[in-house]
């Protein structure tokens, strides 16, 4: 028994710890996301514009903070410790959110804690997976497939469960369940932490000096205080968002200037595809904003066949259609990619991006037609079709972020470029929430048909915007192909199967 206990943990054991914590973390995050819009509008009585402004700032900051959380994990506290601290802060944030009710100070502190906790957790959990399987690229492909499957399993379960809890026992029970999920994940980590002893960085192996610990604690308190102010201040949020854009633009300009001429075509293609994925996220953000409120006010939640009700969805549960479609389509898409590669006709990232925009445009066309032609509440099956189109589009656009950075960016700058990509996605979520304001209801308790037509106008505008974006991407496709060929002529390295497989898995 003694010899068995001293046996070093296997990679599979180490990975199982991160997998379980990631699953429960995503359970909490997506459970909160599923009911946030309805909670702010219905329970707190906010106007659509106020709620959407708060959500825009909140989601933007939640995607910007991983840039700093990754730096802390790498350079200061170690990824293993950062993941654990992030999970603990998230659990506390959801717990405070359950107690907040109409107390603005508690609400802002809870949302700020969630943003800060996500910033620590998100980059460092993925970093641990890479460290566990470092030097074993073949296994890493399948492992990341399982890892991102945890994201979809956790999000699907929570998006179905927390709205159900809210409808029956109130939002407090739903947010407490999100917190409890993180507590379960933390307890599993603590009971199996010996399996991760060899998986962290050198900084994970040593205790932090008391002075460093006190400084970090003071820094987190200051960060949460600052974020709580920004989330509820539209002017400050706007300054932060555009300041982040300016910082990325300056960095990109400096990087391009310092890059050798032979590597510039790949860098230009990185910039182009990253910006295109950012534009897609403006459409994607409608799932947690306008589409959720549309489901609340204008969609019949009953799934019926031949007049028989099979089951019923509440407004927040419709968001679960996204990960369900992702899990159904991902294996088929990955198989299609490999078949195309075997025939020596691989599909370029730029072409996938174009197809993705065609699909998202079709999705909003479906919602526009259904909303504008409705004489009452529209069928829940319309949401299934629309979410199916936008989910496949997500696999072809957002999920390419890792592949874009891996293929076209030099290794010395790939880490920070990934941070820039997340930052741009945060900006896009902010802009997407502002776009959703165009369907803000002029008053409470409007007839279903009036609400449908107001959302129909927004979906029409998004369809037109998607059509214009698609045409622009199609016009840029020859340029993207030319840059791709120029990049390959200098590197001689086509997109390998590892990146292709990861590109088919949602980030």
């Amino acid at each position: 028994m003694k010899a068995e206990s001293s046996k070093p943990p296997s990679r599979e054991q180490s990975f199982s710890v991160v997998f379980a914590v990631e699953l429960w973390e995503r359970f909490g995050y997506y459970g909160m996301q599923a009911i946030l819009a309805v909670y702010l509008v219905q329970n707190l009585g906010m106007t659509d514009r106020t709620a959407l402004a708060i959500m825009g700032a909140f989601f933007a900051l939640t995607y910007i903070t991983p840039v700093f959380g990754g730096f802390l994990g790498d350079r200061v506290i170690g990824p293993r410790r950062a993941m654990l601290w992030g999970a603990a802060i998230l659990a506390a944030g959801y717990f405070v959110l359950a107690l907040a009710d109409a107390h603005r100070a508690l609400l802002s502190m809870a949302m700020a804690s969630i943003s800060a906790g996500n910033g620590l957790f998100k980059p460092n959990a993925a970093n641990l997976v890479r460290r566990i399987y470092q030097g074993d690229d073949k296994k890493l492909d399948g492992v990341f497939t399982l890892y991102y499957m945890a994201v979809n399993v956790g999000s699907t379960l929570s998006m179905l469960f927390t709205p159900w809890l809210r409808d029956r026992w109130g939002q407090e029970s739903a947010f407490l369940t999100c917190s409890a999920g993180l507590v379960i994940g933390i307890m599993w980590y603590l009971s199996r932490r010996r399996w991760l002893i060899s998986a962290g960085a050198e900084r994970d192996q040593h205790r932090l000096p008391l002075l460093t610990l006190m400084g970090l604690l003071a820094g987190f308190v200051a960060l949460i205080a600052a974020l709580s102010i920004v989330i509820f201040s539209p002017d400050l949020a706007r300054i932060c968002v555009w300041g982040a854009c300016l910082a990325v633009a300056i960095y990109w300009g400096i990087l391009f200037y310092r890059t050798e001429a032979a590597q510039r075509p790949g860098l230009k293609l990185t910039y182009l595809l990253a910006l295109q994925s950012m534009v897609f996220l403006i459409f994607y953000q409608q799932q947690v904003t306008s589409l959720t409120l549309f489901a609340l006010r204008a969609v019949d939640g009953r799934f019926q066949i031949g007049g028989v009700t099979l089951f019923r969805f509440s407004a927040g549960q419709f968001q679960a259609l996204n990960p369900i479609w992702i899990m159904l389509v991902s294996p088929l898409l990955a198989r299609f990619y490999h078949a195309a590669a075997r025939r020596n006709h691989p599909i370029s990232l730029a072409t996938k991006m174009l197809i993705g925009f065609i699909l998202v445009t079709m999705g909003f066309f479906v919602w526009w037609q259904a909303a504008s032609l409705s004489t009452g509440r529209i069928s829940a099956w319309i949401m299934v079709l629309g979410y199916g189109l936008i989910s496949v589009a997500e696999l072809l656009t957002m999920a390419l972020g890792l592949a874009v950075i891996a293929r076209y960016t030099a290794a010395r700058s790939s880490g920070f470029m990934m941070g820039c990509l997340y930052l741009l996605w945060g900006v896009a979520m902010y802009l997407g929430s502002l776009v959703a304001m165009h369907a803000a209801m002029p008053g409470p308790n409007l007839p279903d048909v009036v609400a449908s037509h107001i959302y129909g106008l927004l979906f029409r505008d998004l369809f037109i915007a998607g059509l214009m974006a698609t045409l622009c991407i199609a016009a840029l496709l020859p340029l993207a192909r030319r840059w791709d060929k120029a990049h390959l002529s200098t590197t001689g390295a086509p997109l390998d199967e590892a990146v292709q497989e990861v590109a088919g898995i949602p980030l």
Side-chain angles (χ1 to χ4, degrees):
M1 290 293 292
K2 198 171 190 179
E4 188 177 344
S5 64
S6 62
K7 183 180 178 181
S10 66
R11 286 178 167 179
E12 288 73 20
Q13 287 176 317
S14 300
F15 172 70
S16 70
V17 179
V18 183
F19 179 91
V21 179
E22 173 70 24
L23 188 151
W24 284 110
E25 187 277 329
R26 291 291 87 182
F27 178 92
Y29 181 81
Y30 283 106
M32 173 276 303
Q33 176 183 282
I35 62 175
L36 184 60
V38 179
Y39 167 64
L40 295 177
V41 171
Q42 277 198 335
N43 294 93
L44 301 189
M46 293 183 181
T47 64
D48 284 10
R49 297 188 68 85
T50 300
L52 292 170
I54 290 171
M55 290 178 66
F58 168 66
F59 285 117
L61 294 172
T62 299
Y63 264 71
I64 290 172
T65 50
V67 178
F68 307 104
F71 175 83
L72 282 177
D74 284 341
R75 305 292 179 87
V76 183
I77 61 178
R80 197 173 67 222
R81 190 183 282 126
M83 182 186 75
L84 180 63
W85 288 9
I89 294 171
L90 282 165
Y94 298 134
F95 182 80
V96 174
L97 194 57
L99 305 178
D101 200 13
H103 300 288
R104 176 168 170 169
L106 285 179
L107 179 63
S108 61
M109 186 174 72
M111 296 179 78
S113 298
I114 294 167
S115 290
N118 184 75
L120 268 181
F121 186 94
K122 193 174 183 69
N124 290 293
N127 189 15
L128 274 177
V129 176
R130 290 188 179 93
R131 287 178 176 275
I132 290 168
Y133 286 90
Q134 192 169 13
D136 194 348
D137 291 341
K138 290 183 178 179
K139 279 192 176 181
L140 190 61
D141 301 342
V143 163
F144 263 108
T145 300
L146 288 174
Y147 180 73
Y148 289 119
M149 189 60 69
V151 172
N152 287 302
V153 171
S155 62
T156 302
L157 292 175
S158 62
M159 286 178 176
L160 292 173
F161 188 53
T162 54
W164 180 83
L165 280 176
R166 177 193 172 275
D167 292 343
R168 282 156 182 78
W169 290 288
Q171 71 277 356
E172 295 87 358
S173 63
F175 290 133
L176 284 174
T177 301
C178 295
S179 180
L182 267 297
V183 172
I184 293 172
I186 292 170
M187 290 174 64
W188 175 256
Y189 172 91
L190 293 176
S191 68
R192 296 291 185 271
R193 62 183 180 275
R194 65 185 182 278
W195 289 355
L196 280 176
I197 287 177
S198 59
E202 185 179 349
R203 288 178 174 80
D204 282 309
Q205 312 301 330
H206 307 290
R207 288 187 176 182
L208 291 173
L210 181 60
L211 194 60
T212 302
L213 195 60
M214 296 294 290
L216 286 169
L217 180 61
F220 281 126
V221 171
L223 175 63
I224 290 172
L227 292 176
S228 65
I229 294 172
V230 173
I231 288 172
F232 278 78
S233 175
D235 292 335
L236 278 177
R238 195 178 305 113
I239 291 171
C240 289
V241 167
W242 295 123
C245 283
L246 180 61
V248 170
I250 292 173
Y251 172 77
W252 278 8
I254 294 172
L255 181 63
F256 187 81
Y257 177 75
R258 292 180 176 176
T259 299
E260 296 177 7
Q263 296 179 338
R264 286 182 178 178
L267 194 59
K268 286 189 283 188
L269 197 50
T270 301
Y271 294 168
L272 177 64
L273 295 176
L275 289 172
Q276 288 177 0
S277 70
M278 176 187 172
V279 173
F280 172 81
L281 249 170
I282 296 174
F283 296 89
Y284 178 87
Q285 179 66 359
Q286 303 311 307
Q287 293 181 76
V288 297
T289 53
S290 64
L291 284 170
T292 296
L293 295 176
F294 173 61
L296 175 69
R297 294 160 174 156
V299 176
D300 184 349
R302 296 173 297 173
F303 285 86
Q304 295 181 315
I305 295 180
V308 177
T309 299
L310 304 177
F311 53 91
R312 182 191 298 268
F313 269 9
S314 63
Q317 288 177 312
F318 280 101
Q319 291 182 38
L321 292 172
N322 175 244
I324 290 172
W325 273 110
I326 293 290
M327 287 188 287
L328 290 174
V329 174
S330 290
L332 300 176
L333 205 54
R335 186 176 298 178
F336 176 72
Y337 289 163
H338 291 315
R342 281 197 302 269
R343 292 195 302 268
N344 204 25
H345 293 294
I347 306 170
S348 71
L349 300 183
T351 302
K352 292 174 186 174
M353 193 77 70
L354 175 62
I355 297 171
F357 270 87
I358 292 172
L359 291 175
V360 78
T361 302
M362 291 170 58
F364 280 99
F365 177 80
V366 168
W367 281 314
W368 166 35
Q369 291 301 303
S372 60
L373 298 175
S374 71
T375 55
R377 289 192 168 243
I378 71 166
S379 168
W381 295 109
I382 293 294
M383 301 297 283
V384 175
L385 176 58
Y387 267 96
L389 291 166
I390 200 170
S391 298
V392 179
E394 177 190 347
L395 286 171
L396 294 165
T397 51
M398 271 182 66
L400 296 177
L402 180 59
V404 169
I405 302 301
R407 180 175 186 179
Y408 297 114
T409 304
R412 65 180 180 275
S413 57
S414 62
F416 196 78
M417 281 295 293
M418 197 61 186
C420 288
L421 182 65
Y422 277 114
L423 190 150
L424 288 176
W425 286 356
V427 172
M429 288 184 171
Y430 173 78
L431 296 175
S433 297
L434 296 186
V435 168
M437 289 184 187
H438 290 284
M441 294 294 105
N445 303 320
L446 293 175
D448 296 343
V449 66
V450 175
S452 291
H453 282 239
I454 291 174
Y455 284 108
L457 294 176
L458 171 64
F459 299 150
R460 179 203 63 190
D461 293 343
L462 286 166
F463 163 72
I464 294 171
L467 195 60
M468 293 173 63
T470 301
L471 293 174
C472 288
I473 292 171
L476 290 169
L477 193 57
L479 184 62
R481 287 173 175 163
R482 187 158 64 247
W483 287 343
D484 189 30
K485 287 181 180 178
H487 172 75
L488 290 177
S489 68
T490 57
T491 63
L495 183 61
D496 58 23
E497 289 190 5
V499 174
Q500 282 278 16
E501 184 165 346
V502 173
I505 306 298
L507 300 179

